[in-house]
Amino acid sequence: MNRLPYTRAAALPELLSRRIAILDGAMGTMIQRFKLTEAQYRGEGGPPGVQARFAELPKDVKGNNELLSITRPDVIASIHEGYLAAGADLVETNTFGATSVAQDDYGMAELAREMNLASARIARAACDKFSTPEHPRYVAGALGPTPKTASISPDVNDPGARNIDFEQLRAAYLAQTLALIEGGADVLLVETIFDTLNAKAALFAIDEAFEQTGERLPIMISGTVTDASGRVLSGQTVTAFWYSVRHAEPLSIGLNCALGAALMRPYIQELAKVAQGTYISCYPNAGLPNPMSDTGFDETPEVTSRLVHEFAADGLVNIVGGCCGTTPEHIGAIARAVGPLAPRGVKASAFYAASA
């Protein structure tokens, strides 16, 4: 496929060929540290006038983290800056659930565009604050999986039933992508994929957005292996997942969430073997859930960074970071652990060379 050069983050492929890049860590884990109340989610302590705007919402909104980009941008900005100070090269926008599909659960589908625009602008400002000519920082516009699946029936008595279709997902992802691009994203990250059909709707929408805007951003894709079966929830092996999305010519393919680094290793090895012309990303959880720990997960920064260091030492990865339970302390430890190590070698690609 003949692709046009990147119009943003054009230098990122060259960076990945030189060193291992650092992605940020968990957003939700860090938001939980603020112990925000329902009133604060609605805007208490935020920009003038915002609290009054959301005071009469009929549903509780505590837990709707994407709303905080509108009501408490100071909280989201401080989280981004914490990760950037720890050494992150890329920070994800606070948009994991900022599709109209996901926001419909809160009765806020109409706010999806505003959430994405605000989130991208917050991340853009943080990256611009920390960027230098020697160390540029990049905004990764995050497109989450949505709480609905196009491949799996929600009714055990009706295998053919679906609660969403490809067209609904495509429209929601298109609106999200356009807002992320407008807000200043450098990269688009389709992440935590448990249903490949959902991901394909996102990739289709991204192509549409590129055609509409004239922009072409690098695409990162990250799936989620849900258990020891080595498959995503919709049934594909890691290899099958790669062959289903490789048409998008992503800058990177990888795995995140669900598993800690120790359990994720064989699946990263599998990806690294089949996707030889593509960079590999890995951002695992901080081990297994543990409600007794400060972050809700088992692993300390020292443990997670040691495991990720082993991935890097064995030449498996180009981009590393953290998912659930990870903090700036984890990301800082990971950055130090992999800093001296060479990135995974990637076979020459005419597309990457033309885009750089």
Side-chain angles (χ1 to χ4, degrees):
M1 190 177 297
N2 184 22
R3 300 285 195 180
L4 294 173
Y6 296 140
T7 57
R8 302 185 189 183
L12 190 53
E14 192 274 332
L15 184 154
L16 295 176
S17 71
R18 287 190 290 106
R19 66 174 176 86
I20 296 172
I22 307 299
L23 186 66
D24 63 1
M27 174 63 73
T29 297
M30 295 305 296
I31 289 173
Q32 289 170 14
R33 284 187 167 186
F34 283 83
K35 301 187 186 315
L36 300 174
T37 64
E38 175 71 20
Q40 288 171 314
Y41 266 86
R42 290 171 183 253
E44 182 182 281
V50 169
Q51 187 173 10
R53 178 183 173 190
F54 294 105
E56 303 302 322
L57 291 173
K59 292 184 178 181
D60 286 349
V61 297
K62 184 178 178 180
N64 187 1
N65 291 342
E66 291 74 23
L67 180 62
L68 294 173
S69 293
I70 299 172
T71 59
R72 291 300 305 267
D74 56 317
V75 170
I76 304 305
S78 70
I79 293 170
H80 288 321
E81 291 186 10
Y83 283 123
L84 290 163
D89 298 296
L90 302 103
V91 294
E92 297 180 53
T93 54
N94 179 37
T95 52
F96 182 85
T99 56
S100 56
V101 174
Q103 286 300 315
D104 192 51
D105 289 346
Y106 291 96
M108 294 185 168
E110 75 284 355
L111 292 178
R113 171 179 160 75
E114 184 178 356
M115 289 176 179
N116 284 282
L117 198 57
S119 296
R121 286 172 173 167
I122 294 167
R124 177 77 274 148
C127 283
D128 289 348
K129 179 178 178 180
F130 279 79
S131 287
T132 66
E134 298 76 26
H135 192 178
R137 311 300 181 101
Y138 298 98
V139 175
L143 290 81
T146 87
K148 296 183 178 181
T149 164
S151 296
I152 302 171
S153 171
D155 183 355
V156 294
N157 298 310
D158 183 3
R162 296 291 185 271
N163 56 15
I164 199 163
D165 59 32
F166 186 94
E167 174 57 26
Q168 290 171 298
L169 288 165
R170 182 206 63 80
Y173 281 127
L174 176 59
Q176 180 175 39
T177 303
L178 289 170
L180 289 171
I181 292 173
E182 183 179 342
D186 299 301
V187 181
L188 295 171
L189 171 57
V190 184
E191 67 165 343
T192 321
I193 298 163
F194 63 84
D195 182 343
T196 310
L197 188 56
N198 285 36
K200 288 173 82 70
L203 295 171
F204 191 97
I206 287 170
D207 255 354
E208 282 191 279
F210 289 166
E211 290 179 7
Q212 289 185 26
T213 62
E215 298 279 6
R216 182 154 205 90
L217 283 60
I219 300 170
M220 298 170 62
I221 299 175
S222 185
T224 296
V225 172
T226 53
D227 55 38
S229 71
R231 297 172 182 266
V232 299
L233 190 62
S234 55
Q236 287 183 310
T237 63
V238 167
T239 296
F241 169 68
W242 161 241
Y243 283 111
S244 293
V245 299
R246 64 181 295 188
H247 65 88
E249 295 182 343
L251 176 69
S252 69
I253 183 76
L255 298 174
N256 74 289
C257 206
L259 304 176
L263 295 176
M264 193 179 283
R265 182 185 177 93
Y267 313 120
I268 289 292
Q269 288 175 312
E270 183 178 346
L271 263 184
K273 182 178 180 180
V274 297
Q276 294 185 14
T278 304
Y279 297 108
I280 298 294
S281 69
C282 175
Y283 53 113
N285 289 349
L288 298 174
N290 178 1
M292 301 302 292
S293 75
D294 289 340
T295 65
F297 283 79
D298 265 340
E299 292 178 1
T300 63
E302 292 71 27
V303 173
T304 301
S305 62
R306 173 176 55 79
L307 293 168
V308 174
H309 173 273
E310 292 173 4
F311 286 28
D314 290 340
L316 297 176
V317 291
N318 303 95
I319 303 169
V320 294
C323 202
C324 303
T326 58
T327 65
E329 292 77 19
H330 287 80
I331 298 307
I334 289 171
R336 291 188 294 274
V338 305
L341 302 177
R344 166 181 169 270
V346 174
K347 287 187 175 180
S349 166
F351 172 58
Y352 294 150
S355 298

